[in-house]
Every structure is written in structure tokens, then in C-alpha cells.
Amino acid sequence: MSTSTYTVAGMTCGHCVSSVKEEVGQVAGVSAVDVDLQTGTVTVTSDGPLDDADIKAAVEEAGYEVKA
């Protein structure tokens, strides 16, 4: 198991959380996604290492941006 945390800019409501969870959850290998709206963090649990670019692309597909 591998866990990574990302900071996402632009999330303001429950719909934002749902959109990010849905898109990131579709990335191959992802087993769980936890989004904390207050802190703007997304914690991704996977079976093995993930490519950060895949997570970033999924967050962007949801309409948000991963902060560096």
C-alpha cells in the first residue's frame, strides 16, 4: 500500500469534493481517495506507487489545480 497527499486549489464546496474524488478514483491503481475541503488536501491510497502526473491530470479534469 502507498499513500500520497496533494494540495488542491479551488475547492469550495461538497460538489468540488465529489468531483475530485470521482476523477482521482478512476486512476488505475487507486484504492481510496480522501478529500479534506477545509485544508484543501487530497489523500490517495493505492496498491503501489502512482505517477503524480496521473493524479494531477485527474484533478485538472475535475476542474482544479494541484499546488506545487
Side-chain angles (χ1 to χ4, degrees), residues 9-32:
M11 295 187 301
T12 59
C13 65
H15 181 265
C16 301
V17 169
S18 295
S19 296
V20 170
K21 274 183 143 177
E22 182 178 338
E23 291 296 334
V24 174
Q26 292 179 15
V27 174
V30 171
S31 56

Side-chain angles (χ1 to χ4, degrees), residues 6 8 23-24 27 44 51-68:
Y6 304 87
V8 176
E23 291 296 334
V24 174
V27 174
V44 180
D51 187 345
D52 287 341
D54 291 342
I55 301 301
K56 183 178 178 185
V59 169
E60 289 174 353
E61 182 67 27
Y64 306 97
E65 178 185 356
V66 174
K67 290 176 156 182

